[in-house]
């Protein structure tokens, strides 16, 4: 009996030591994304800035998350005057393992960052102090893009008017705060496909826009559904939003023509569209339609071609489940 208790005590002690060693290792050695930030300077040309502005506002929609959104209006348009200044909160009420607050990406927020530090952050998820950011910013996608597109983003945000803010720091809940440190990975940049290859180029744009992050079923911290087949549930003020199936199945985009797909975006053109005021129980979406409406038609055609090339997946969606 005493020998058994003694062995159990040794086992428990050894297990505690292993856990402590693992915690110390994760806390000190991770994240590890290889080399330190690259020592380089982005060439700030008018062409590069214009391309970065297009990507940040209409494809990768960086400005969408790094601004405050008004969800009393349909699609949560940006609150005027908060563009790129951060402050949007993603917390436990929305199903996140902590409270994560988007950063100020105007020169007032990033002025002391080098271009290399910004590139590492965007493409690997590691801040200049070596800490990890929550992947609501899809840095794993960005780390697979053409580095020239990321350089264009950096060139663009350098030109924004500086706006000082004092947002609280993001904080992950324990034990996710340890798991978070294991998530960043080294970037693996690729060359952007020729736009004439519409399927390949459309796939690149879908990756840049991180469409699959929302349009793939997600539960308990993991993607469990077919990519881009929809079904991810998101809590909105008046109910549960369920994302659409984007595959060419009857339950998705099979019966959509190219023109229907393009016009679905262009109907929200900022020149003519006025967001509707919503009651709490009304259908709401996080899809930033106004921002995506500024995407070039040629890019929307490429995205449509890529989505139509996917294997069809049956997944009939009830798009909104009102609380009432």
């Amino acid at each position: 009996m005493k020998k058994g208790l003694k062995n159990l005590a040794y086992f428990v002690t050894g297990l505690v030591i292993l856990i402590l060693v693992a915690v110390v290792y994760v806390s000190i050695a991770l994240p590890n994304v290889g080399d330190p930030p690259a020592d380089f300077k982005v060439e700030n040309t008018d062409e590069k800035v214009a391309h970065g502005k297009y990507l940040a506002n209409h494809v990768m929609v960086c400005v969408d998350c790094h601004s405050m959104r008004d969800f009393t209006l349909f699609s949560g348009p940006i609150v005027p005057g908060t563009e790129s200044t951060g402050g949007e909160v993603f917390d436990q009420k929305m199903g996140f393992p902590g409270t994560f607050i988007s950063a100020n990406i105007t020169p007032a927020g990033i002025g002391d960052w080098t271009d290399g530090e910004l590139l590492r952050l965007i493409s690997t998820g590691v801040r200049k102090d070596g800490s990890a950011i929550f992947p609501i910013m899809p840095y794993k996608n960005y780390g697979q893009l053409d580095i020239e597109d990321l350089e264009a983003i950096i060139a663009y945000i350098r030109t924004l008017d500086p706006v000082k803010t004092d947002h609280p720091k993001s904080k992950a809940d324990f034990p996710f705060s340890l798991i978070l440190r294991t998530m960043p990975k080294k970037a693996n940049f690729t060359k952007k496909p020729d736009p004439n290859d519409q399927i390949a180029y459309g796939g690149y744009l879908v990756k840049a826009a991180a469409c699959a992050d929302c349009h793939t079923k997600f539960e308990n911290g993991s993607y469990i559904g077919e990519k881009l087949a929809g079904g991810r549930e998101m809590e909105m003020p008046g109910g549960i939003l369920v994302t659409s199936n984007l595959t060419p199945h009857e339950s998705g985009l099979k019966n959509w023509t190219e023109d229907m797909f393009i016009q679905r975006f262009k109907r929200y053109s900022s020149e003519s569209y006025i967001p509707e005021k919503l009651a709490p129980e009304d259908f709401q979406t996080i899809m930033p339609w106004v921002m995506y409406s500024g995407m070039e038609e040629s890019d929307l055609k490429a995205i449509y071609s890529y989505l139509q090339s996917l294997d069809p997946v049956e997944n009939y969606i009830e798009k909104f489940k009102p609380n009432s």
Side-chain angles (χ1 to χ4, degrees):
M1 181 71 175
K2 290 182 178 179
K3 185 177 180 180
L5 291 175
K6 188 175 183 180
N7 289 336
L8 178 61
Y10 285 146
F11 173 77
V12 171
T13 301
L15 182 61
V16 169
I17 291 173
L18 285 174
I19 292 173
L20 289 174
V21 169
V23 168
V24 170
Y25 172 77
V26 170
S27 300
I28 296 176
L30 299 180
N32 181 3
V33 292
D35 299 330
D39 182 18
F40 80 106
K41 181 71 176 175
V42 173
E43 184 182 5
N44 198 329
T45 65
D46 290 343
E47 182 181 9
K48 184 163 285 189
V49 170
H51 183 54
K53 181 178 180 179
Y54 172 69
L55 292 174
N57 286 275
H58 303 302
V59 181
M60 296 162 68
V61 291
C62 315
V63 176
D64 170 60
C65 281
H66 290 277
S67 306
M68 302 289 288
R69 296 177 66 181
D70 182 1
F71 280 101
T72 67
L73 301 177
F74 180 71
S75 186
I78 291 174
V79 176
T82 70
E83 295 87 350
S84 303
T85 63
E88 188 74 353
V89 177
F90 306 87
D91 59 14
Q92 295 89 343
K93 295 177 183 177
M94 304 169 70
F96 292 101
T99 301
F100 306 99
I101 301 167
S102 64
N104 180 347
I105 58 172
T106 75
I110 61 164
D112 62 344
W113 288 63
T114 67
D115 290 344
E117 288 169 341
L118 286 173
L119 178 66
R120 186 178 72 164
L121 173 73
I122 296 169
S123 62
T124 72
V126 177
R127 297 185 182 92
K128 63 183 296 183
D129 64 2
S131 61
I133 64 171
F134 186 75
I136 192 166
M137 185 177 85
Y139 56 78
K140 292 183 180 180
N141 284 30
Y142 298 161
Q144 300 177 56
L145 300 182
D146 192 320
I147 193 172
E148 291 186 359
D149 281 344
L150 302 189
E151 289 179 2
I153 294 284
I154 294 170
Y156 166 64
I157 61 177
R158 293 287 194 198
T159 69
L160 298 175
D161 292 333
V163 180
K164 291 185 177 180
T165 55
D166 187 25
H167 304 310
K169 290 185 177 181
S170 297
K171 186 175 181 180
D173 295 334
F174 184 83
F176 184 79
S177 53
L178 294 176
I179 298 171
L180 181 60
R181 298 184 67 87
T182 71
M183 300 180 77
K185 304 295 181 185
K186 188 174 182 179
N188 181 28
F189 299 118
T190 59
K191 193 68 178 175
K192 182 160 49 181
D194 185 338
N196 292 319
D197 184 348
Q198 283 210 314
I199 292 178
Y201 185 61
Y204 178 87
L205 292 173
V206 165
K207 182 177 292 182
C211 304
D213 281 22
C214 286
H215 289 275
T216 305
K217 193 171 183 180
F218 187 88
E219 289 183 2
N220 300 319
S222 300
Y223 290 100
I224 61 172
E226 294 287 343
K227 182 180 177 182
L228 293 166
R232 181 167 186 173
E233 297 188 351
M234 300 181 182
E235 188 171 340
M236 305 301 293
I240 302 297
L241 170 70
V242 187
T243 58
S244 302
N245 181 356
L246 301 184
T247 73
H249 186 269
E250 287 184 352
S251 58
L253 299 180
K254 178 180 179 179
N255 298 319
W256 286 58
T257 66
E258 179 183 82
D259 186 63
M260 288 169 61
F261 184 79
I262 292 171
Q263 293 310 314
R264 184 69 174 88
F265 287 82
K266 292 302 181 181
R267 69 188 288 188
Y268 300 104
S269 173
S270 58
E271 290 80 15
S272 58
Y273 175 69
I274 299 176
E276 178 186 358
K277 187 78 172 179
L278 300 180
E281 67 276 6
D282 289 342
F283 170 77
Q284 179 59 293
T285 179
I286 65 165
M287 180 81 165
W289 282 113
V290 171
M291 301 197 77
Y292 282 137
S293 72
M295 202 181 304
E296 296 174 1
E297 286 197 17
S298 58
D299 285 352
L300 289 170
K301 288 180 179 179
I303 291 173
Y304 173 81
S305 295
Y306 171 74
L307 294 176
Q308 290 294 318
S309 75
L310 298 173
D311 292 334
V313 179
E314 180 178 348
N315 191 17
Y316 290 91
I317 301 295
E318 182 185 355
K319 292 181 65 175
F320 192 68
K321 303 173 183 177
N323 291 333
S324 57

